[in-house]
Every structure is written in C-alpha cells, then in structure tokens.
Amino acid sequence: MRKLTLLRTAETERRKPEAKNADGTEPKDRTGKGKLEAARGKMEWAEELLDQERPLRLNQLQRIYSELLGVKEEAPEPFAGDAAYLWERLAFAFNYYGQLKQAERCLRIQAELQPDQSDAFLNLGVFLTDAGYYDAAIATCREGLKRTPNCEFLNYNLAGLASLLGRQDLAQSALNEALVANPSRGLNQLAKGNLCLERNEYEVAVQYFQEALAWAVEEELPGQQLECLQGLGVAYLNLEELDKARAVLEQAVDLDPSCSASHELLAYCHKRLGNEWLYRHHLKQARDLARYF
C-alpha cells in the first residue's frame, strides 16, 4: 500500500524554528505566550471542538488539522502520552465524511507519535475495510504487526480479511497468533469456529463455538451468543445431529426473535426432521423479517 505523506500547508512551510533567547528562556509568540503554552492552548481548543455532540463541518476539521500539524512541527512535546489520541479522534471525524486519505494522514501522525503501539494501524485497517480496500487493509494490519507481533486485535482483523478473500492459510495463522496472545478470549474462539465451518471441520467447530458461547454468556454479550448458537446449528446440521441443531437454533430464536437468519436455519432443520408445518412457519418468519429489515 502506498504510504501517504503528511500534508504541509503553505502556512506550515513558512514556519521556521526559532532560537531560544540569550537567557535560555522560550521565545514568545506575538501574543506573548511561549511555544509550549500556545501549543497546549491550541490542543485544548481542538479538544473542545471535537467534544461537541454534533459532527463538525469539514472546513472546521481542516482547520483543526492545520493547527495541530503546526503544533506538531513546532512543539511536539504536548502530544506525549495519551494526548496523541487527539489525532485518532480527528481521524474518526474525517472518516465520518468519507475523507479516507485525510483520516489516514491523521492516523499515520498518531503512529509516528506512538512508535511502540499499533492502535493507529488497527483503526486504519477498519477504515480501509469499510471502504472496500481489502488488500490495503491487509497491508496495514501487517504494518501494525511489525510493531506489535502478538496483538490479538490486529491478528483477529487480519484473519477476518483473509477469510473474506479466501486466503484460508493466512486466516488460520493469524487466528493462531490471536489465540496465543489471549487464549481465553471468547472472540478468538468464535472466529476459529467460523473458520472451521468454512473448512468443513464441523466437529472442531462445535468445540470452539461451545467455548465461545460460555464466554459470551458469562460476559452477557447477546450478539456473540447469537452468532455462537447459529454456528453450532450449522455445524450440527452438517454432522446430521438434527436434534442438537434444533435445540440450539430454538435458543437462537428465543434470544432474538427478530433475526431472520435464525428462523431460516431453524426452518431448514425442521424440514430435515419432517416437521412440515414448523418448516413453513419459520420460513415465513424469515422472509417477513428479511423484507421488514
């Protein structure tokens, strides 16, 4: 993926480093403030604007970007620590308007300010994925993994992207890395289960989905519970364990009666069990919900 260079506005190009005063004190700007004091003031101004509940206008975001870029060029010290996440917030604001290149510039500045972290690459990978730039997203995940090779979140996203593109070996290796980084996280077990379904490894998939379901129940995560139950249903159907499939799919429907996918899977299960009325009932529910949503 081509790396985008930082924008340098005409105003920024004109700025020159100023020498310190003869007594070693900081030179003052035209308002009488020192550089660091002025830099912190601009950062506070930017934070106040980004704290607003409604989206800022694009021209306001461009001005914030220009001002913060000037701060970074002249006095980057205030961006130490968590203050670097101000660039992340600005990136999300640009991405809201579909300004992907500008969002990437912000995130790469964040990455520059956080040389030992990969948060910026994680978010950039998501932005690129949402925009359909899958190969660039994979490259971004790999770029982040050069910094933090054991980052489970980057590995998890990389696995999802690789699976989407049919690159199963890459997906498997990335998920293995995610599991090594945090073997107890149910999200990784869920991803492994989904990957096993794609590889027709249904017995192994059942094991992963059961572990992930226990975690999702404990953490009270209904969305993940639903995905685990549906995954179990698909695995049991392929293993010809129809009663088990019916049981978990009925749980899925009870958990979220508005999910058309659960009704469709349960309808298919009842058809194979010979329950014609229940098959038609749930198939109708699935089609009605699909049209409604």
Side-chain angles (χ1 to χ4, degrees), residues 19 69 90 109 127 131 137 152 174 178 190 208 243 266:
L69 185 59
L90 187 56
I109 292 173
F127 291 168
E152 60 172 310
L190 174 57
Y208 281 121
D243 287 334
L266 186 53

Side-chain angles (χ1 to χ4, degrees), residues 119-140:
D119 293 15
F121 298 101
L122 183 66
N123 285 320
L124 179 56
V126 172
F127 291 168
L128 289 166
T129 300
D130 289 344
Y133 298 110
Y134 301 125
D135 289 336
I138 286 178
T140 298

Side-chain angles (χ1 to χ4, degrees), residues 149-150 152 155 173-184 188-189:
N150 296 323
E152 60 172 310
N155 276 305
S173 64
L175 279 176
N176 287 339
E177 290 295 328
L179 283 166
V180 168
N182 194 339
S184 64
N188 294 329
Q189 308 292 339

Side-chain angles (χ1 to χ4, degrees), residues 95-121:
N95 194 60
Y96 173 82
Y97 286 104
Q99 298 290 312
L100 181 58
K101 289 185 178 180
Q102 194 70 348
E104 179 171 1
R105 292 182 178 106
C106 293
L107 290 173
R108 289 199 175 277
I109 292 173
Q110 179 192 349
E112 180 185 343
L113 294 166
Q114 297 177 318
D116 299 325
Q117 299 182 44
S118 57
D119 293 15
F121 298 101

Side-chain angles (χ1 to χ4, degrees), residues 33-252:
K33 293 182 179 180
K35 280 185 178 180
L36 288 178
E37 185 182 355
R40 292 190 180 100
K42 289 180 179 180
M43 290 172 66
E44 289 174 4
W45 162 80
E47 282 190 281
E48 288 177 3
L49 284 176
L50 292 170
D51 279 340
Q52 295 183 25
E53 294 184 2
R54 64 179 184 276
L56 297 175
R57 295 190 303 273
L58 195 54
N59 64 337
Q60 290 177 300
L61 296 178
Q62 294 288 7
R63 185 186 171 195
I64 293 172
Y65 175 83
S66 179
E67 293 289 346
L68 292 183
L69 185 59
V71 169
K72 177 184 172 295
E73 293 293 323
E74 292 190 352
E77 295 90 344
F79 284 116
D82 288 346
Y85 287 104
L86 191 56
W87 289 103
E88 177 182 280
R89 295 180 63 189
L90 187 56
F92 272 87
F94 275 119
N95 194 60
Y96 173 82
Y97 286 104
Q99 298 290 312
L100 181 58
K101 289 185 178 180
Q102 194 70 348
E104 179 171 1
R105 292 182 178 106
C106 293
L107 290 173
R108 289 199 175 277
I109 292 173
Q110 179 192 349
E112 180 185 343
L113 294 166
Q114 297 177 318
D116 299 325
Q117 299 182 44
S118 57
D119 293 15
F121 298 101
L122 183 66
N123 285 320
L124 179 56
V126 172
F127 291 168
L128 289 166
T129 300
D130 289 344
Y133 298 110
Y134 301 125
D135 289 336
I138 286 178
T140 298
C141 288
R142 283 175 160 164
E143 195 174 350
L145 286 168
K146 288 180 181 178
R147 292 190 177 189
T148 55
N150 296 323
C151 176
E152 60 172 310
F153 303 108
L154 278 170
N155 276 305
Y156 179 82
N157 285 357
L158 178 58
L161 281 164
S163 181
L164 178 67
L165 298 175
R167 301 172 62 177
Q168 300 302 335
D169 290 342
L170 175 58
Q172 185 71 58
S173 64
L175 279 176
N176 287 339
E177 290 295 328
L179 283 166
V180 168
N182 194 339
S184 64
R185 184 178 292 277
L187 188 63
N188 294 329
Q189 308 292 339
L190 174 57
K192 287 285 283 186
N194 285 325
L195 186 59
C196 286
L197 285 185
E198 294 176 11
R199 297 165 68 97
N200 301 327
E201 298 171 352
Y202 302 116
E203 291 182 352
V204 181
V206 166
Q207 296 175 13
Y208 281 121
F209 284 132
Q210 287 175 337
E211 292 176 11
L213 179 60
W215 162 79
V217 170
E218 182 179 351
E219 297 293 325
E220 299 182 354
L221 300 170
Q224 281 77 12
Q225 291 179 47
L226 184 64
E227 190 173 349
C228 290
L229 290 167
Q230 290 173 345
L232 280 169
V234 172
Y236 284 135
L237 284 169
N238 282 280
L239 291 169
E240 299 294 332
E241 298 183 29
L242 301 183
D243 287 334
K244 290 182 178 179
R246 178 181 59 188
V248 294
L249 291 171
E250 284 176 347
Q251 290 181 54

